[in-house]
Amino acid sequence: QVRLVESGGGSVQAGGSLRLSCSASGLYRDNVSMGWFRQAPGKEIEGVAAILLDDGRTYYYDSVKGRFTISQDGAKHTVSLQMNSLKPEDTAMYYCVATAGENVGSGWFSRSFGSKATRRGEGTQVTVSS
């Protein structure tokens, strides 16, 4: 059974930084991608960033490009999201996601969101004040 455990998050002022981490267990064997969704109050859920674990390829959605960095930590199924230059509009619940059979790219969020192979963590709150 796939299990995702998130850590990090919290409150910060605009321009500050936070780091989220996600440790996964029970993952699929091949073509695994991990990443982050987020959902702000009253808004639809959206993709943030993704990484293909086999080769480290990454993808960032436009709203976070140049500010956020996703990386795979020493443990194979642990990823982190370094968030710099945070803005109030980054305020949201952030969910760690793992899926199989999906290459990273602009379609990663929509395909992963609708996939039966996708598993999501419980979420961690990020609040950015102006």
Side-chain angles (χ1 to χ4, degrees):
Q1 184 176 357
V2 177
R3 184 166 179 253
L4 304 171
V5 179
E6 300 129 330
S7 60
S11 297
V12 67
Q13 290 191 325
S17 298
L18 286 172
R19 185 178 181 90
L20 307 182
S21 291
C22 176
S23 179
S25 59
L27 278 183
Y28 323 100
R29 290 185 299 175
D30 301 314
N31 199 21
V32 177
S33 59
M34 292 182 66
W36 300 86
F37 295 168
R38 70 182 182 184
Q39 188 166 26
K43 294 189 177 181
E44 293 187 353
I45 197 166
E46 63 179 359
V48 177
I51 185 167
L52 192 62
L53 298 189
D54 286 348
D55 62 12
R57 273 183 287 165
T58 59
Y59 185 82
Y60 300 92
Y61 287 85
D62 288 346
S63 58
V64 305
K65 278 181 182 177
R67 301 187 298 122
F68 290 13
T69 302
I70 189 169
S71 60
Q72 185 173 347
D73 295 343
K76 184 177 181 181
H77 293 156
T78 299
V79 297
S80 294
L81 184 70
Q82 178 65 41
M83 305 184 293
N84 297 329
S85 302
L86 283 161
K87 305 175 182 180
E89 50 264 44
D90 293 317
T91 295
M93 184 69 78
Y94 284 70
Y95 299 94
C96 177
V97 176
T99 192
E102 302 294 347
N103 286 321
V104 298
S106 60
W108 178 82
F109 165 70
S110 59
R111 294 193 305 268
S112 300
F113 188 73
S115 171
K116 293 181 180 179
T118 296
R119 298 294 181 267
R120 188 166 67 174
E122 294 184 353
T124 185
Q125 178 68 37
V126 171
T127 302
V128 185
S129 59
S130 56

